[in-house]
Amino acid sequence: GRIVAAAQGRLREIPLLPWGLFRLRGGPLVLGPHGGEMGALKEILKGIRQGFSGGVIRVSPNHPIGNGVEAILTASGFGRPPGQRPQQTFCLDLKRDLKILHKQLSPSWRRNLSKAEEKGLTIRPMASTEDLQRFFDLHSDMVHWKGFQSHLSWDLLRELWRVSCGSSGIHGFLAMNGEEVVAGRILGFLGEEALDLFAVTTLRGREIFASYQLLWEVIKTA
């Protein structure tokens, strides 16, 4: 009676060809730390293949490395596109004591964190759509001057915010230098995991190492 895996994708018909493309971004989702329910992944991949036989299926599991995920994908008939590099994901065990986590930070990271803390920054959670709008405007500016590609739209961010509840969904945090927002970060919380989704640091924020203190406070909150 417990859901251990789920998938939602988009089916696109390809003109002049007899088959379509079924694409799952960030899926299938599998329950458990680092994809503990690997049997569920195998079964849901089997169901997807049966449901869309004769087409092209592209998946991106939420746990692309570790616990034999790649081996299960290969055994299920999936292969990595030629030339594609494996996704790099950094995982942090948040069940450890904060003092231990702090001690294990690199010397340069601890030094930059101390520099930020000396500036008297205030870290606070986003509490309104106005806060969310301030974050989005800064993020859009950063994407523009850094030349990044971003799929984040205001409509998407606002809808994610609207459907979030206290224990799951997205949670945002802002680093304030007086009344000025100098950095922001948005995380997604689901079950026992927190996923770093979006981040922004202004030019002033970079000067005062705001992103270090913000990330540390986010880690403590998570």
Side-chain angles (χ1 to χ4, degrees), residues 112-133:
N112 290 338
L113 175 59
S114 297
K115 290 179 181 178
E117 291 172 338
E118 292 171 358
K119 301 298 181 180
L121 297 174
T122 301
I123 309 298
R124 66 172 180 85
M126 294 185 196
S128 65
T129 52
E130 287 76 17
D131 284 343
L132 197 68
Q133 182 74 65

Side-chain angles (χ1 to χ4, degrees), residues 5 9 30 33 41 48-49 71 73 75 85 91-92 117 142 145 152 160 181 191 201 204 208:
V30 182
L41 175 60
I48 291 169
R49 288 196 59 182
L73 287 169
R85 301 177 63 184
C91 298
L92 181 64
E117 291 172 338
M142 184 189 70
W145 59 261
L152 180 63
L160 287 172
V181 178
T201 305
R204 175 57 181 160
I208 58 179

Side-chain angles (χ1 to χ4, degrees), residues 34-220:
H34 309 297
E37 298 282 355
M38 287 299 99
L41 175 60
K42 184 176 180 180
E43 288 302 312
I44 203 166
L45 289 172
K46 178 181 177 181
I48 291 169
R49 288 196 59 182
Q50 291 175 344
F52 298 95
S53 59
V56 175
I57 304 170
R58 186 170 186 179
V59 299
S60 306
N62 61 322
H63 296 290
I65 57 175
N67 283 22
V69 173
E70 191 115 7
I72 291 176
L73 287 169
T74 301
S76 300
F78 291 88
R80 190 182 301 279
Q84 185 189 73
R85 301 177 63 184
Q87 178 180 334
Q88 298 296 310
T89 301
F90 295 89
C91 298
L92 181 64
D93 182 4
L94 298 174
K95 293 181 180 179
R96 288 177 293 172
D97 186 87
L98 282 172
K99 292 181 180 179
I100 296 176
L101 286 176
H102 189 275
K103 186 177 180 180
Q104 291 178 341
L105 296 172
S106 70
S108 61
W109 216 98
R110 281 200 305 270
R111 185 164 54 249
N112 290 338
L113 175 59
S114 297
K115 290 179 181 178
E117 291 172 338
E118 292 171 358
K119 301 298 181 180
L121 297 174
T122 301
I123 309 298
R124 66 172 180 85
M126 294 185 196
S128 65
T129 52
E130 287 76 17
D131 284 343
L132 197 68
Q133 182 74 65
R134 294 172 77 180
F135 173 89
F136 180 77
D137 291 343
L138 290 175
H139 188 272
S140 298
D141 290 343
M142 184 189 70
V143 167
H144 176 73
W145 59 261
K146 281 197 170 186
F148 287 166
Q149 284 188 335
S150 175
H151 300 291
L152 180 63
S153 68
W154 170 243
D155 287 342
L156 172 61
L157 187 59
R158 182 176 55 186
E159 182 65 9
L160 287 172
W161 180 269
R162 185 186 70 82
V163 301
S164 295
C165 64
S167 61
S168 64
I170 66 171
H171 293 253
F173 304 85
L174 298 175
M176 309 293 298
N177 183 28
E179 295 298 317
E180 180 186 7
V181 178
V182 292
R185 215 163 192 108
I186 290 180
L187 277 76
F189 286 88
L190 183 63
E192 295 184 343
E193 296 187 357
L195 181 66
D196 198 19
L197 294 176
F198 310 110
V200 62
T201 305
T202 66
L203 292 175
R204 175 57 181 160
R206 292 171 65 182
E207 292 173 356
I208 58 179
F209 304 93
S211 62
Y212 289 86
Q213 186 174 348
L214 177 58
L215 182 54
W216 179 243
E217 291 299 322
V218 164
I219 288 172
K220 292 198 295 184

